[in-house]
Amino acid sequence: MRFLGNIIWIICGGLVSAIGWWAAGVLWCITIVGIPVGLQCFKLSSISLNPFGKEIVDEGGVFSLLLNILWICISGIELAVANAFIGLILCATIIGIPFGKQFFKIARVALFPFGAGVVRVH
């Protein structure tokens, strides 16, 4: 079921979300100072491609909080709003509710990606 859900997910907007994460990662990696931020974007793009069977765990600290504040000011709001908007559109139908919930999960991570880890659930 996870495999089928992930295939439908990619068709229903998951690829667009992953491209957004990749674009943000590339833009951050252009500067030397932004490389840690860009690497986090690439790590979290994996949940944008196949969110079913994965959960997000919070492991943050003070350094993560400071990076999250910087992230929100520069590129976090755009990614969070885009994912929340797609989630709202999908939740308009009964069939799209599970996919909308996944977009809301990704929108939360889009606001606070530092200190968040992706864990596979069996």
Side-chain angles (χ1 to χ4, degrees), residues 5 11 15 24 51 67 69 76-77 85 89-90 93 104 106 108 112:
I11 295 168
L15 185 61
L67 282 175
I69 291 170
I77 293 175
F85 181 71
I89 290 171
L90 287 172
T93 64
F104 293 140
I106 293 171
R108 184 182 67 85
F112 307 108

Side-chain angles (χ1 to χ4, degrees), residues 9-86:
W9 170 262
I10 290 172
I11 295 168
C12 290
L15 185 61
V16 173
S17 177
I19 289 171
W21 280 106
W22 290 330
V26 167
L27 290 175
W28 277 98
C29 283
I30 289 174
T31 65
I32 293 173
V33 176
I35 288 175
V37 179
L39 294 177
Q40 185 73 5
C41 291
F42 294 136
K43 182 178 87 172
L44 292 174
S45 71
S46 71
I47 198 164
S48 290
L49 277 180
N50 54 357
F52 292 99
K54 293 183 179 179
E55 289 296 323
I56 300 167
V57 293
D58 294 322
E59 305 164 346
V62 174
F63 186 66
S64 297
L65 176 67
L66 294 175
L67 282 175
N68 280 329
I69 291 170
L70 179 68
W71 170 259
I72 288 171
C73 294
I74 296 175
S75 59
I77 293 175
E78 294 87 0
L79 287 170
V81 168
N83 284 305
F85 181 71
I86 295 170

